[in-house]
Amino acid sequence: MDAQLYTPSTAAPAATPTAVPAKGVTPTPALRETVYTKLRAAVLDGGFGARERLAEVRLAARFGVSRTPVREALARLASDGLIERGDGGFFVTIPNLTRLKDFYELRVTLELRGVARAIEDPSIRHDPAVITAELDRWYAMRESPPVPDPRFVVQDERFHAELSRASGNPALTDALVAVSERIRQVRMYDFLTRDRVETTVSEHIEIMELVRDGRLDEGYRALHAHVGDSMAVVLERARRAMSQMALHADRL
């Protein structure tokens, strides 16, 4: 599993200008991909407000390119479902509560499957190197807790992706990473208080230690409680995250 899928992306607040193609010159495939990658990272990392229009001219100036690769990147992101066309242009896609609940439910299913498959098949072992490396990261956070910040969600996603990766099914991990990205824009507002961050750190360590020690049934139950042990819990978390996001948007 490529770590780039869930390590923090440097969503450029002031991207290093890329050479602007001369008028009439078709942007190269490399330039198109660069603009798409930077814009996608900015969208996923909360670089745009819920009501902020993604204007071609402003984005072209931000990335130091012509409008053509920006227009193409916007079209790709719309196809990905990460942005959508609204009144006067493109805006970041914010799932409604029903859609968000569906994504949360899928995430819970994918999360638990990584541990369940090891419980069902004794020949499957979680990769100890992956488990140890991730535990060390969270031990360090326990010693020096991160400041509450919406972008802590990226660290949270990495934990869950690494736990999945350790179980040995790359397709399962890819699916988990993809659904996590779709709800990141909302979930990031679930990490605005110190106690929420510290509780997350503590629960991650407990889950990973149980898996490391082969106590998979206990690990499964701890993970289930952590991500939502009932749809009522999942729905309440979705509602809470959306409420926090709305409050944040009102302050823009």
Side-chain angles (χ1 to χ4, degrees), residues 1 5-6 40 44 80 82 103 106-107 110 157 161 171-184:
M1 177 67 187
L5 288 173
Y6 45 84
R40 184 177 188 275
L44 288 174
D80 294 342
L82 296 177
F103 282 136
L106 176 58
R107 174 176 175 255
L110 294 170
E157 287 177 16
L172 192 65
T173 305
D174 287 346
L176 175 60
V177 169
V179 75
S180 295
E181 288 182 341
R182 294 298 297 273
I183 59 178
R184 181 188 297 173

Side-chain angles (χ1 to χ4, degrees), residues 61-92:
R62 172 176 176 167
F63 296 122
V65 297
S66 70
R67 293 172 64 181
T68 300
V70 170
R71 187 179 303 118
E72 293 174 354
L74 290 171
R76 287 179 65 183
L77 289 170
S79 178
D80 294 342
L82 296 177
I83 65 174
E84 59 190 9
R85 188 177 291 279
D87 186 17
F90 285 105
F91 299 83
V92 174

Side-chain angles (χ1 to χ4, degrees), residues 115-134:
V115 179
R117 65 191 302 269
I119 293 174
E120 295 167 5
D121 184 352
S123 70
I124 294 175
R125 296 284 188 274
H126 284 77
D127 187 331
V130 174
I131 295 293
T132 298
E134 193 61 17

Side-chain angles (χ1 to χ4, degrees), residues 11-117:
T16 302
T18 308
V20 179
K23 187 174 182 180
V25 175
T26 302
T28 65
L31 179 60
R32 291 192 185 100
E33 192 62 29
T34 296
V35 173
Y36 167 75
T37 299
K38 289 181 178 180
L39 186 53
R40 184 177 188 275
V43 167
L44 288 174
D45 291 349
F48 302 102
R51 304 186 183 110
E52 182 177 355
R53 186 167 66 90
L54 306 182
E56 287 182 14
V57 173
R58 188 169 67 249
L59 292 172
R62 172 176 176 167
F63 296 122
V65 297
S66 70
R67 293 172 64 181
T68 300
V70 170
R71 187 179 303 118
E72 293 174 354
L74 290 171
R76 287 179 65 183
L77 289 170
S79 178
D80 294 342
L82 296 177
I83 65 174
E84 59 190 9
R85 188 177 291 279
D87 186 17
F90 285 105
F91 299 83
V92 174
T93 299
I94 307 300
N96 60 34
L97 188 59
T98 299
R99 187 68 169 148
L100 189 64
K101 183 180 78 69
D102 290 344
F103 282 136
Y104 267 62
E105 184 177 7
L106 176 58
R107 174 176 175 255
V108 171
T109 300
L110 294 170
E111 293 268 13
L112 295 175
R113 185 59 199 158
V115 179
R117 65 191 302 269

